[in-house]
Amino acid sequence: MSKHKELLDFYLKRKDFIKKEFSENIDFTDVFDPYLDEKMDNPIMIIGEAPGANEVRLKEPFVGKAGENLNYLISLSGLDRKRDFLITNAFPFRTFKGNANRTPSAKELKLGAKLLEKEIEIVKPKLILLLGNSAIKAFSYIPWAKEVKNLKKCGIYEINGKKLGVCFHPSPLAFNRKDIRDSLEKFFKNLKFEYN
């Protein structure tokens, strides 16, 4: 089985894994990177928070305003979103309250961490980028990555043989702060050096 087929199968089975634990206030529409067949081996894995309403509608991660900001940041890296990056989430499904998106709970992120561990096993990314607090928190629940929550944002580190980048989420609220935007821009401009 090809790596792309294995990854697609994994994505399509995630809802069964989550539904065993809980199913309230979760939209189980599958949202995953649509360019699996175009990926280089060992792409950079970007981990965001969770899909929002726009992502559910288009069934693709990072397509709203945060997605526009991410595309801009990726353009600064000189790398290609379709080929060089695999984009995923700390929790794979939209979490909501009423009509609004909500931040995944600690219990949801713990479950998401188990899925991330398997996803990393399949993808074998050259570099893992954790964008925002939910991604960092979920990652800290992976047994070999507990110390990630102590790392300073917008740096590249190595934990147990895995290369990790930790930075802010490119949400509109964060991106409107000059200090955060400057940090994200600098972080992404340096990615091409980390990736080669």
Side-chain angles (χ1 to χ4, degrees):
M1 182 187 298
S2 76
K3 187 188 284 190
H4 300 134
K5 173 82 171 77
E6 185 182 2
L7 196 52
L8 181 59
D9 285 350
F10 165 74
Y11 288 149
L12 296 176
K13 290 175 183 165
R14 292 185 299 188
K15 68 177 70 149
D16 296 328
F17 178 74
I18 300 286
K19 281 180 179 178
K20 286 178 189 169
E21 298 294 323
F22 38 72
S23 61
E24 286 188 23
N25 298 320
I26 296 172
D27 182 325
F28 284 99
T29 301
D30 286 308
V31 174
F32 54 84
D33 194 313
Y35 306 109
L36 298 182
D37 290 339
E38 298 178 46
K39 301 298 173 203
M40 292 183 72
D41 286 341
N42 317 107
I44 295 172
M45 181 184 267
I46 291 180
I47 302 173
E49 180 178 272
N54 289 321
E55 286 74 17
V56 164
R57 186 170 47 81
L58 297 172
K59 299 183 179 182
E60 186 179 332
F62 273 102
V63 292
K65 186 60 185 159
E68 286 175 29
N69 295 340
L70 182 62
N71 284 339
Y72 162 70
L73 293 167
I74 286 173
S75 75
L76 296 179
S77 75
L79 300 169
D80 182 86
R81 177 173 172 155
K82 291 181 184 178
R83 190 187 71 232
D84 298 315
F85 295 89
L86 177 84
I87 300 176
T88 192
N89 286 293
F91 189 77
F93 301 106
R94 179 181 179 234
T95 52
F96 62 89
K97 185 173 183 177
N99 292 326
N101 299 332
R102 68 170 170 81
T103 302
S105 68
K107 187 177 176 187
E108 288 163 342
L109 292 174
K110 279 181 186 171
L111 210 56
K114 290 180 182 177
L115 290 167
L116 282 177
E117 201 170 5
K118 177 65 178 167
E119 193 172 358
I120 289 163
E121 215 175 275
I122 296 168
V123 176
K124 296 179 177 45
K126 192 170 193 176
L127 174 63
I128 300 165
L129 302 184
L130 306 175
L131 299 185
N133 293 331
S134 289
I136 295 164
K137 188 172 184 178
F139 220 73
S140 74
Y141 294 129
I142 297 174
W144 57 262
K146 289 177 183 173
E147 65 194 81
V148 75
K149 59 182 176 255
N150 302 321
L151 301 176
K152 189 176 175 197
K153 281 193 177 149
C154 297
I156 303 282
Y157 307 92
E158 191 164 312
I159 295 180
N160 290 320
K162 301 225 180 356
K163 207 169 185 182
L164 297 177
V166 179
C167 207
F168 300 99
H169 191 282
S171 69
L173 195 63
F175 219 61
N176 287 337
R177 282 185 46 189
K178 186 179 182 326
D179 57 331
I180 290 178
R181 184 182 179 126
D182 288 350
S183 295
L184 277 162
E185 287 176 345
K186 183 178 177 187
F187 182 76
F188 273 83
K189 280 176 186 171
N190 288 328
L191 275 187
K192 55 180 164 277
F193 305 114
E194 295 294 339
Y195 191 57
N196 293 327

